[in-house]
Amino acid sequence: MPEGPSIVILREAVEAIDLKGKIVRHAEGNTKIDKDRLINQKVTDLRSWGKHFLICFKDFTIRIHFMLFGSYLINEQKKTPPRLSLQFSKDELNFYACSVKIIDKPADEIYDWSGDIMSGSWKPAKALQKLKEKPDMLACDALLDQDIFAGSGNIIKNEVLFRIKVHPLSKIGKLPEAKLKEFVKETRKYSFDFLEWKKEFTLKKHWLAHTKKICPRCDIPFHKEYTGKTKRRSYFCENCQVLY
């Protein structure tokens, strides 16, 4: 599942072909939304929130969520049918194996941009407060909670917890105040590192914990476990990551 930084890369790629203000000339695909509604509509904005890519129109918004196996192509097509294909005068967007939804409201009425870890409107104090309101939540679940860290996913979860030396099964309410602040700060920081490395095609080279077998700090085997409510893969060191 693409995480927030990957959605930012998509948004920037679409912005680069200057579709804002352009008219949808044709829409097709195996999505069940009313595709005819999109024809002759003008794109007012292109935005991202967490793991959602948003194509904005005057009175509604198309939300693209890539789920586990979704993908996209710009000015190219796959042999497989698209979930949604939007064609403009000179360009086209093709989305595959994803969730497509029409939301009958402008994006600003739906999304809290301050909760998006990649947004310029991100407010760490709000994330900190949300964490404090859930003292029994596990650290591994907190980093996958889109209401707290919109855009964070399993890679970010494993890398952040390793960097701040917190065991994934730690309870949020047991973390010291300074560690909680570090929790929030490092999530934001690592997300932008992720973005930079993803653009360089070097992301995997920088992983310290995710999918790794040996702890680079302790030189002992990592522990792999399916943790938390979502049972996502966690890679952690039982020696240097403290269980609070």
Side-chain angles (χ1 to χ4, degrees):
M1 180 184 293
E3 302 186 27
S6 297
I7 305 302
V8 170
I9 290 173
L10 164 58
R11 188 196 73 218
E12 292 177 348
V14 177
E15 287 173 343
I17 60 173
D18 196 25
L19 288 186
K20 188 174 179 178
K22 298 297 192 299
I23 304 293
V24 176
R25 299 301 181 188
H26 183 68
E28 62 183 53
N30 56 26
T31 177
K32 294 182 179 180
I33 67 166
D34 180 5
K35 294 176 284 294
D36 290 340
R37 182 180 178 183
L38 311 181
I39 297 172
N40 295 324
Q41 294 294 317
K42 181 189 291 185
V43 175
T44 60
D45 208 354
L46 299 153
R47 307 187 74 170
S48 60
W49 181 89
K51 299 176 182 181
H52 298 174
F53 176 60
L54 308 171
I55 306 172
C56 306
F57 299 89
K58 182 181 178 181
D59 299 316
F60 63 94
T61 304
I62 295 180
R63 186 198 75 185
I64 306 289
H65 191 308
F66 290 96
M67 313 299 282
L68 287 176
F69 303 109
S71 62
Y72 65 90
L73 285 175
I74 300 172
N75 293 330
E76 293 183 69
Q77 296 181 358
K78 292 185 178 183
K79 292 181 180 180
T80 55
R83 181 77 76 232
L84 178 66
S85 176
L86 297 179
Q87 297 172 20
F88 301 83
S89 295
K90 296 181 180 179
D91 299 288
E92 64 179 279
L93 301 179
N94 295 299
F95 302 98
Y96 302 88
C98 59
S99 168
V100 180
K101 183 178 181 179
I102 290 181
I103 303 173
D104 287 305
K105 287 183 179 180
D108 284 330
E109 294 182 19
I110 306 163
Y111 290 98
D112 176 8
W113 308 106
S114 68
D116 178 3
I117 57 176
M118 305 301 299
S119 173
S121 301
W122 163 255
K123 292 183 179 179
K126 185 177 285 189
L128 185 63
Q129 182 58 38
K130 287 179 178 178
L131 286 173
K132 290 180 178 180
E133 291 171 358
K134 297 182 177 181
D136 292 328
M137 177 178 275
L138 299 179
C140 59
D141 287 330
L143 278 164
L144 296 178
D145 189 326
Q146 300 303 292
D147 182 57
I148 303 173
F149 298 109
S152 179
N154 212 43
I155 296 171
I156 292 174
K157 177 200 78 178
N158 285 323
E159 292 298 305
V160 167
L161 291 177
F162 180 73
R163 281 162 170 74
I164 66 173
K165 300 181 179 179
V166 170
H167 193 289
L169 297 179
S170 296
K171 285 192 174 183
I172 292 298
K174 298 294 185 180
L175 270 64
E177 178 78 10
K179 186 60 70 173
L180 267 181
K181 290 181 177 179
E182 185 183 10
F183 194 102
V184 173
K185 182 179 180 180
E186 186 62 31
T187 302
R188 169 81 163 179
K189 179 181 181 299
Y190 179 76
S191 298
F192 279 89
D193 288 342
F194 184 128
L195 178 63
E196 179 183 347
W197 295 330
K198 185 78 173 179
K199 288 180 176 180
E200 296 173 348
F201 303 99
T202 63
L203 177 62
K204 290 184 179 181
K205 293 181 181 179
H206 291 276
W207 286 348
L208 298 178
H210 188 68
T211 73
K212 299 299 182 180
K213 295 182 178 181
I214 301 295
C215 173
R217 277 196 293 256
C218 305
D219 197 30
I220 60 175
F222 267 127
H223 184 72
K224 176 184 174 182
E225 186 176 335
Y226 293 86
T227 60
K229 291 182 179 179
T230 57
K231 301 298 180 185
R232 299 294 301 279
R233 291 179 301 165
S234 288
Y235 299 85
F236 55 96
C237 178
E238 294 184 295
N239 183 56
C240 64
Q241 288 179 252
V242 180
L243 178 61
Y244 291 92

PDB file of all heavy atoms in Angstrom, residues 198-218:
ATOM      1  N   LYS A 198      12.726   8.030  -1.980  1.00  0.00           N
ATOM      2  CA  LYS A 198      11.835   7.440  -2.986  1.00  0.00           C
ATOM      3  C   LYS A 198      12.075   8.091  -4.343  1.00  0.00           C
ATOM      4  O   LYS A 198      12.106   7.411  -5.380  1.00  0.00           O
ATOM      5  CB  LYS A 198      10.387   7.626  -2.553  1.00  0.00           C
ATOM      6  CG  LYS A 198       9.345   6.945  -3.453  1.00  0.00           C
ATOM      7  CD  LYS A 198       9.252   5.462  -3.202  1.00  0.00           C
ATOM      8  CE  LYS A 198       8.112   4.837  -3.976  1.00  0.00           C
ATOM      9  NZ  LYS A 198       8.023   3.382  -3.762  1.00  0.00           N
ATOM     10  N   LYS A 199      12.268   9.390  -4.356  1.00  0.00           N
ATOM     11  CA  LYS A 199      12.536  10.103  -5.606  1.00  0.00           C
ATOM     12  C   LYS A 199      13.888   9.699  -6.190  1.00  0.00           C
ATOM     13  O   LYS A 199      14.079   9.713  -7.410  1.00  0.00           O
ATOM     14  CB  LYS A 199      12.505  11.611  -5.372  1.00  0.00           C
ATOM     15  CG  LYS A 199      11.115  12.176  -5.138  1.00  0.00           C
ATOM     16  CD  LYS A 199      11.165  13.673  -4.906  1.00  0.00           C
ATOM     17  CE  LYS A 199       9.772  14.269  -4.779  1.00  0.00           C
ATOM     18  NZ  LYS A 199       9.812  15.737  -4.551  1.00  0.00           N
ATOM     19  N   GLU A 200      14.815   9.355  -5.315  1.00  0.00           N
ATOM     20  CA  GLU A 200      16.152   8.925  -5.755  1.00  0.00           C
ATOM     21  C   GLU A 200      16.206   7.437  -6.099  1.00  0.00           C
ATOM     22  O   GLU A 200      17.242   6.946  -6.539  1.00  0.00           O
ATOM     23  CB  GLU A 200      17.180   9.191  -4.639  1.00  0.00           C
ATOM     24  CG  GLU A 200      17.394  10.638  -4.278  1.00  0.00           C
ATOM     25  CD  GLU A 200      18.297  10.813  -3.069  1.00  0.00           C
ATOM     26  OE1 GLU A 200      18.572   9.809  -2.368  1.00  0.00           O
ATOM     27  OE2 GLU A 200      18.718  11.955  -2.807  1.00  0.00           O
ATOM     28  N   PHE A 201      15.102   6.721  -5.847  1.00  0.00           N
ATOM     29  CA  PHE A 201      15.044   5.260  -6.023  1.00  0.00           C
ATOM     30  C   PHE A 201      16.037   4.543  -5.109  1.00  0.00           C
ATOM     31  O   PHE A 201      16.615   3.523  -5.449  1.00  0.00           O
ATOM     32  CB  PHE A 201      15.309   4.869  -7.484  1.00  0.00           C
ATOM     33  CG  PHE A 201      14.360   5.511  -8.459  1.00  0.00           C
ATOM     34  CD1 PHE A 201      14.728   6.636  -9.181  1.00  0.00           C
ATOM     35  CD2 PHE A 201      13.082   5.009  -8.636  1.00  0.00           C
ATOM     36  CE1 PHE A 201      13.851   7.240 -10.068  1.00  0.00           C
ATOM     37  CE2 PHE A 201      12.185   5.598  -9.524  1.00  0.00           C
ATOM     38  CZ  PHE A 201      12.569   6.719 -10.249  1.00  0.00           C
ATOM     39  N   THR A 202      16.234   5.122  -3.913  1.00  0.00           N
ATOM     40  CA  THR A 202      17.177   4.531  -2.951  1.00  0.00           C
ATOM     41  C   THR A 202      16.512   4.194  -1.615  1.00  0.00           C
ATOM     42  O   THR A 202      17.209   3.933  -0.637  1.00  0.00           O
ATOM     43  CB  THR A 202      18.364   5.482  -2.684  1.00  0.00           C
ATOM     44  OG1 THR A 202      17.878   6.704  -2.085  1.00  0.00           O
ATOM     45  CG2 THR A 202      19.111   5.804  -3.971  1.00  0.00           C
ATOM     46  N   LEU A 203      15.187   4.203  -1.573  1.00  0.00           N
ATOM     47  CA  LEU A 203      14.490   4.034  -0.298  1.00  0.00           C
ATOM     48  C   LEU A 203      14.915   2.773   0.444  1.00  0.00           C
ATOM     49  O   LEU A 203      15.281   2.822   1.625  1.00  0.00           O
ATOM     50  CB  LEU A 203      12.972   4.018  -0.529  1.00  0.00           C
ATOM     51  CG  LEU A 203      12.112   3.788   0.715  1.00  0.00           C
ATOM     52  CD1 LEU A 203      12.305   4.905   1.728  1.00  0.00           C
ATOM     53  CD2 LEU A 203      10.630   3.667   0.339  1.00  0.00           C
ATOM     54  N   LYS A 204      14.906   1.627  -0.225  1.00  0.00           N
ATOM     55  CA  LYS A 204      15.216   0.359   0.446  1.00  0.00           C
ATOM     56  C   LYS A 204      16.638   0.336   0.998  1.00  0.00           C
ATOM     57  O   LYS A 204      16.905  -0.309   2.017  1.00  0.00           O
ATOM     58  CB  LYS A 204      14.994  -0.810  -0.512  1.00  0.00           C
ATOM     59  CG  LYS A 204      13.536  -1.064  -0.843  1.00  0.00           C
ATOM     60  CD  LYS A 204      13.373  -2.304  -1.715  1.00  0.00           C
ATOM     61  CE  LYS A 204      11.912  -2.567  -2.024  1.00  0.00           C
ATOM     62  NZ  LYS A 204      11.717  -3.789  -2.848  1.00  0.00           N
ATOM     63  N   LYS A 205      17.553   1.042   0.350  1.00  0.00           N
ATOM     64  CA  LYS A 205      18.938   1.069   0.820  1.00  0.00           C
ATOM     65  C   LYS A 205      19.056   1.743   2.182  1.00  0.00           C
ATOM     66  O   LYS A 205      20.028   1.517   2.906  1.00  0.00           O
ATOM     67  CB  LYS A 205      19.814   1.807  -0.191  1.00  0.00           C
ATOM     68  CG  LYS A 205      19.965   1.088  -1.521  1.00  0.00           C
ATOM     69  CD  LYS A 205      20.861   1.876  -2.466  1.00  0.00           C
ATOM     70  CE  LYS A 205      21.008   1.172  -3.810  1.00  0.00           C
ATOM     71  NZ  LYS A 205      21.863   1.933  -4.744  1.00  0.00           N
ATOM     72  N   HIS A 206      18.077   2.571   2.515  1.00  0.00           N
ATOM     73  CA  HIS A 206      18.128   3.322   3.773  1.00  0.00           C
ATOM     74  C   HIS A 206      17.342   2.666   4.897  1.00  0.00           C
ATOM     75  O   HIS A 206      17.350   3.170   6.024  1.00  0.00           O
ATOM     76  CB  HIS A 206      17.614   4.746   3.543  1.00  0.00           C
ATOM     77  CG  HIS A 206      18.519   5.588   2.698  1.00  0.00           C
ATOM     78  ND1 HIS A 206      19.595   6.275   3.207  1.00  0.00           N
ATOM     79  CD2 HIS A 206      18.509   5.839   1.364  1.00  0.00           C
ATOM     80  CE1 HIS A 206      20.209   6.934   2.237  1.00  0.00           C
ATOM     81  NE2 HIS A 206      19.571   6.684   1.103  1.00  0.00           N
ATOM     82  N   TRP A 207      16.664   1.574   4.604  1.00  0.00           N
ATOM     83  CA  TRP A 207      15.913   0.910   5.668  1.00  0.00           C
ATOM     84  C   TRP A 207      16.861   0.358   6.723  1.00  0.00           C
ATOM     85  O   TRP A 207      17.845  -0.327   6.415  1.00  0.00           O
ATOM     86  CB  TRP A 207      15.082  -0.242   5.104  1.00  0.00           C
ATOM     87  CG  TRP A 207      13.879   0.209   4.334  1.00  0.00           C
ATOM     88  CD1 TRP A 207      13.341   1.461   4.287  1.00  0.00           C
ATOM     89  CD2 TRP A 207      13.055  -0.607   3.488  1.00  0.00           C
ATOM     90  NE1 TRP A 207      12.245   1.481   3.466  1.00  0.00           N
ATOM     91  CE2 TRP A 207      12.031   0.240   2.967  1.00  0.00           C
ATOM     92  CE3 TRP A 207      13.080  -1.952   3.129  1.00  0.00           C
ATOM     93  CZ2 TRP A 207      11.053  -0.236   2.097  1.00  0.00           C
ATOM     94  CZ3 TRP A 207      12.102  -2.430   2.264  1.00  0.00           C
ATOM     95  CH2 TRP A 207      11.096  -1.574   1.758  1.00  0.00           C
ATOM     96  N   LEU A 208      16.561   0.647   7.981  1.00  0.00           N
ATOM     97  CA  LEU A 208      17.343   0.117   9.098  1.00  0.00           C
ATOM     98  C   LEU A 208      16.644  -1.064   9.757  1.00  0.00           C
ATOM     99  O   LEU A 208      17.295  -1.939  10.321  1.00  0.00           O
ATOM    100  CB  LEU A 208      17.588   1.216  10.136  1.00  0.00           C
ATOM    101  CG  LEU A 208      18.392   2.432   9.666  1.00  0.00           C
ATOM    102  CD1 LEU A 208      18.513   3.449  10.794  1.00  0.00           C
ATOM    103  CD2 LEU A 208      19.776   2.012   9.169  1.00  0.00           C
ATOM    104  N   ALA A 209      15.307  -1.085   9.685  1.00  0.00           N
ATOM    105  CA  ALA A 209      14.547  -2.134  10.371  1.00  0.00           C
ATOM    106  C   ALA A 209      13.594  -2.886   9.447  1.00  0.00           C
ATOM    107  O   ALA A 209      13.501  -4.116   9.526  1.00  0.00           O
ATOM    108  CB  ALA A 209      13.773  -1.529  11.539  1.00  0.00           C
ATOM    109  N   HIS A 210      12.880  -2.187   8.615  1.00  0.00           N
ATOM    110  CA  HIS A 210      11.829  -2.798   7.803  1.00  0.00           C
ATOM    111  C   HIS A 210      12.390  -3.906   6.906  1.00  0.00           C
ATOM    112  O   HIS A 210      13.285  -3.666   6.105  1.00  0.00           O
ATOM    113  CB  HIS A 210      11.132  -1.732   6.954  1.00  0.00           C
ATOM    114  CG  HIS A 210       9.923  -2.244   6.236  1.00  0.00           C
ATOM    115  ND1 HIS A 210       8.776  -2.624   6.902  1.00  0.00           N
ATOM    116  CD2 HIS A 210       9.679  -2.463   4.917  1.00  0.00           C
ATOM    117  CE1 HIS A 210       7.883  -3.039   6.023  1.00  0.00           C
ATOM    118  NE2 HIS A 210       8.397  -2.958   4.814  1.00  0.00           N
ATOM    119  N   THR A 211      11.886  -5.100   7.078  1.00  0.00           N
ATOM    120  CA  THR A 211      12.267  -6.339   6.374  1.00  0.00           C
ATOM    121  C   THR A 211      13.681  -6.824   6.700  1.00  0.00           C
ATOM    122  O   THR A 211      14.137  -7.815   6.130  1.00  0.00           O
ATOM    123  CB  THR A 211      12.136  -6.208   4.836  1.00  0.00           C
ATOM    124  OG1 THR A 211      13.185  -5.387   4.309  1.00  0.00           O
ATOM    125  CG2 THR A 211      10.772  -5.683   4.430  1.00  0.00           C
ATOM    126  N   LYS A 212      14.354  -6.169   7.637  1.00  0.00           N
ATOM    127  CA  LYS A 212      15.735  -6.548   7.957  1.00  0.00           C
ATOM    128  C   LYS A 212      15.787  -7.726   8.942  1.00  0.00           C
ATOM    129  O   LYS A 212      14.835  -7.985   9.665  1.00  0.00           O
ATOM    130  CB  LYS A 212      16.498  -5.350   8.536  1.00  0.00           C
ATOM    131  CG  LYS A 212      16.605  -4.170   7.575  1.00  0.00           C
ATOM    132  CD  LYS A 212      17.347  -4.541   6.309  1.00  0.00           C
ATOM    133  CE  LYS A 212      17.510  -3.375   5.369  1.00  0.00           C
ATOM    134  NZ  LYS A 212      18.231  -3.743   4.137  1.00  0.00           N
ATOM    135  N   LYS A 213      16.913  -8.414   8.954  1.00  0.00           N
ATOM    136  CA  LYS A 213      17.076  -9.584   9.812  1.00  0.00           C
ATOM    137  C   LYS A 213      17.990  -9.337  11.012  1.00  0.00           C
ATOM    138  O   LYS A 213      17.882 -10.037  12.023  1.00  0.00           O
ATOM    139  CB  LYS A 213      17.611 -10.762   8.993  1.00  0.00           C
ATOM    140  CG  LYS A 213      16.634 -11.243   7.922  1.00  0.00           C
ATOM    141  CD  LYS A 213      17.172 -12.447   7.173  1.00  0.00           C
ATOM    142  CE  LYS A 213      16.167 -12.945   6.136  1.00  0.00           C
ATOM    143  NZ  LYS A 213      16.667 -14.138   5.402  1.00  0.00           N
ATOM    144  N   ILE A 214      18.898  -8.361  10.870  1.00  0.00           N
ATOM    145  CA  ILE A 214      19.873  -8.097  11.940  1.00  0.00           C
ATOM    146  C   ILE A 214      19.785  -6.636  12.377  1.00  0.00           C
ATOM    147  O   ILE A 214      19.748  -5.729  11.541  1.00  0.00           O
ATOM    148  CB  ILE A 214      21.317  -8.397  11.468  1.00  0.00           C
ATOM    149  CG1 ILE A 214      21.446  -9.861  11.033  1.00  0.00           C
ATOM    150  CG2 ILE A 214      22.320  -8.073  12.575  1.00  0.00           C
ATOM    151  CD1 ILE A 214      21.256 -10.867  12.148  1.00  0.00           C
ATOM    152  N   CYS A 215      19.766  -6.414  13.679  1.00  0.00           N
ATOM    153  CA  CYS A 215      19.740  -5.050  14.207  1.00  0.00           C
ATOM    154  C   CYS A 215      21.089  -4.376  13.961  1.00  0.00           C
ATOM    155  O   CYS A 215      22.130  -4.891  14.415  1.00  0.00           O
ATOM    156  CB  CYS A 215      19.442  -5.067  15.706  1.00  0.00           C
ATOM    157  SG  CYS A 215      19.580  -3.439  16.489  1.00  0.00           S
ATOM    158  N   PRO A 216      21.117  -3.234  13.286  1.00  0.00           N
ATOM    159  CA  PRO A 216      22.390  -2.565  13.008  1.00  0.00           C
ATOM    160  C   PRO A 216      23.022  -1.937  14.246  1.00  0.00           C
ATOM    161  O   PRO A 216      24.212  -1.625  14.238  1.00  0.00           O
ATOM    162  CB  PRO A 216      22.013  -1.490  11.974  1.00  0.00           C
ATOM    163  CG  PRO A 216      20.566  -1.237  12.210  1.00  0.00           C
ATOM    164  CD  PRO A 216      19.979  -2.548  12.647  1.00  0.00           C
ATOM    165  N   ARG A 217      22.245  -1.770  15.310  1.00  0.00           N
ATOM    166  CA  ARG A 217      22.808  -1.215  16.541  1.00  0.00           C
ATOM    167  C   ARG A 217      23.405  -2.296  17.421  1.00  0.00           C
ATOM    168  O   ARG A 217      24.485  -2.131  17.993  1.00  0.00           O
ATOM    169  CB  ARG A 217      21.723  -0.463  17.331  1.00  0.00           C
ATOM    170  CG  ARG A 217      21.473   0.962  16.890  1.00  0.00           C
ATOM    171  CD  ARG A 217      20.686   1.740  17.943  1.00  0.00           C
ATOM    172  NE  ARG A 217      19.335   1.258  18.094  1.00  0.00           N
ATOM    173  CZ  ARG A 217      18.245   1.870  17.610  1.00  0.00           C
ATOM    174  NH1 ARG A 217      18.370   2.999  16.936  1.00  0.00           N
ATOM    175  NH2 ARG A 217      17.044   1.365  17.798  1.00  0.00           N
ATOM    176  N   CYS A 218      22.688  -3.419  17.542  1.00  0.00           N
ATOM    177  CA  CYS A 218      23.077  -4.456  18.496  1.00  0.00           C
ATOM    178  C   CYS A 218      23.732  -5.676  17.844  1.00  0.00           C
ATOM    179  O   CYS A 218      24.281  -6.527  18.543  1.00  0.00           O
ATOM    180  CB  CYS A 218      21.864  -4.905  19.296  1.00  0.00           C
ATOM    181  SG  CYS A 218      20.995  -3.558  20.129  1.00  0.00           S
TER     182      CYS A 218
END
